[in-house]
Amino acid sequence: MSDFKKLIITAAICGAEVMKEQDPYLPTTPEELSDEAKNCFDAGARIVHLHVRDEKGNPTQDAEIFKKTVSLIRQKAPELIVQVSTGGATWMKPEERLQSLESNPDMATLSTGTSNFGSEIFMNTKDMILKFAEKITEKNIMPEFECFEAGHVSFAKWLVAKGYIKRKHYHYDFVIGVPGAMEASLESICHMKNMIPNNATWCVAGIGRHELNMAAIAIAAGGHVRVGMEDNIYISKGVLAKSNAELVERVVTIAKNMNREIATTQEIKELFGLSQK
Ligand code: KMH
Ligand code: ZN
């Protein structure tokens, strides 16, 4: 595990599951998403994890909508690292999911295994993962390994060992607390973090009510944090967060109280080996 000390906060501002009917504060249009991304950057997030929606507010991986949104984010928050989702939604086909890579992002997610996802299955077969890894590598995009299960960490390491992904540094995201997949607990985090190599950092995305506790554990244990409406829409029991920035601000407050400094974009770019986009 890398000894990079400062905290890297990722804001997952929209996702593919929450709908406006459930949460009127959810940003969905390119304008709303880019405004939200900028506000999250101002609050302390340095990476935005991005999904987009169509005109009706439904999840899509449409290349043009991604391009428009990424371009607006770059205008409004040029220092924000843009990470697009290649996970999309559980019902999307691989070709559809890959379209987000057309938007010239800094980073893209790479899910390294199949998992239960509530009453659905989030499918990532070996062939799919190899294809996604190839496309991500071809475009010189940095992958973030999305691990919903401990075995996904093992598969990410296998991808590196076999030379499918070659980077100077790797960033793992432990997505824990998805119903049916790996539970959100201190033990899950310890188990997964102990599996990652030296040239890697780890981040935790606790789902639903687990977001806050898992973030606090990650901050205390030297990990990094993902928060946002993709993972959790509440600021306290039954009370909706009014913005993604509110969720980021809460993490920043915890970090400051624990003397964990927030990493700058430049520090993260150097660590990750990201070039100017
Ligand atoms: N929406 C989930 C099925 C990712 O962004 O890479 C998958 C997901 C992972 O959100
Ligand atoms: Zn996502």
Side-chain angles (χ1 to χ4, degrees):
M1 182 174 88
S2 155
D3 61 358
F4 184 77
K5 296 270 181 297
K6 294 192 182 175
L7 180 67
I8 303 169
I9 302 171
T10 300
I13 60 178
C14 169
E17 285 76 32
V18 179
M19 300 299 284
K20 270 259 207 255
E21 294 74 39
Q22 268 170 283
D23 183 354
Y25 303 113
L26 183 80
T28 55
T29 66
E31 281 295 343
E32 288 172 350
L33 287 163
S34 51
D35 283 343
E36 196 82 352
K38 191 220 179 310
N39 292 339
C40 286
F41 175 79
D42 291 345
R46 296 292 170 257
I47 303 175
V48 62
H49 169 72
L50 191 66
H51 289 250
V52 298
R53 303 291 175 103
D54 65 17
E55 323 70 57
K56 295 195 175 118
N58 293 317
T60 176
Q61 291 288 103
D62 183 87
E64 295 312 311
I65 301 180
F66 261 102
K67 282 184 199 166
K68 183 168 179 194
T69 310
V70 171
S71 146
L72 284 172
I73 292 174
R74 292 228 161 97
Q75 282 168 34
K76 294 176 189 176
E79 283 193 58
L80 193 55
I81 295 167
V82 179
Q83 176 195 92
V84 298
S85 168
T86 64
T90 51
W91 41 266
M92 290 176 181
K93 298 266 182 298
E95 284 305 332
E96 185 177 2
R97 284 169 51 180
L98 282 167
Q99 289 180 83
S100 57
L101 299 180
E102 300 308 314
S103 60
N104 192 30
D106 303 286
M107 297 179 69
T109 54
L110 177 61
S111 292
T112 46
T114 295
S115 62
N116 288 326
F117 202 87
S119 48
E120 290 156 49
I121 290 177
F122 181 37
M123 184 67 80
N124 295 286
T125 63
K126 180 179 172 186
D127 283 355
M128 279 171 67
I129 298 166
L130 292 185
K131 186 173 178 190
F132 279 42
E134 190 187 323
K135 297 270 176 214
I136 287 171
T137 301
E138 215 174 78
K139 291 180 181 295
N140 192 26
I141 296 167
M142 168 149 177
E144 174 179 281
F145 296 128
E146 300 299 297
C147 304
F148 295 76
E149 301 281 358
H152 300 177
V153 179
S154 312
F155 196 79
K157 290 197 295 186
W158 181 86
L159 285 174
V160 173
K162 296 290 173 194
Y164 291 109
I165 306 264
K166 288 187 199 133
R167 306 279 312 183
K168 73 170 203 159
H169 186 88
Y170 301 95
H171 197 53
Y172 285 74
D173 186 30
F174 307 149
V175 187
I176 48 178
V178 172
M182 194 143 180
E183 66 188 40
S185 67
L186 171 64
E187 289 75 16
S188 295
I189 293 176
C190 289
H191 182 56
M192 291 164 104
K193 91 174 180 57
N194 289 341
M195 294 170 73
I196 69 167
N198 287 337
N199 58 341
T201 32
W202 57 277
C203 172
V204 174
I207 301 302
R209 68 184 190 283
H210 304 292
E211 183 173 83
L212 179 59
N213 288 351
M214 295 303 114
I217 291 172
I219 294 167
H224 305 278
V225 171
R226 177 175 113 174
V227 289
M229 291 175 180
E230 171 164 350
D231 303 333
N232 159 53
I233 56 177
Y234 295 104
I235 193 74
S236 58
K237 197 168 167 43
V239 181
L240 289 171
K242 291 204 169 50
S243 68
N244 280 280
E246 204 182 343
L247 296 165
V248 173
E249 275 159 18
R250 180 166 62 172
V251 167
V252 171
T253 302
I254 297 170
K256 285 197 173 143
N257 286 335
M258 296 184 76
N259 293 331
R260 199 100 194 256
E261 269 182 71
I262 308 301
T264 66
T265 303
Q266 200 45 43
E267 288 163 342
I268 300 169
K269 284 191 164 175
E270 267 164 36
L271 178 72
F272 287 4
L274 296 177
S275 52
Q276 197 56 43
K277 292 262 175 173

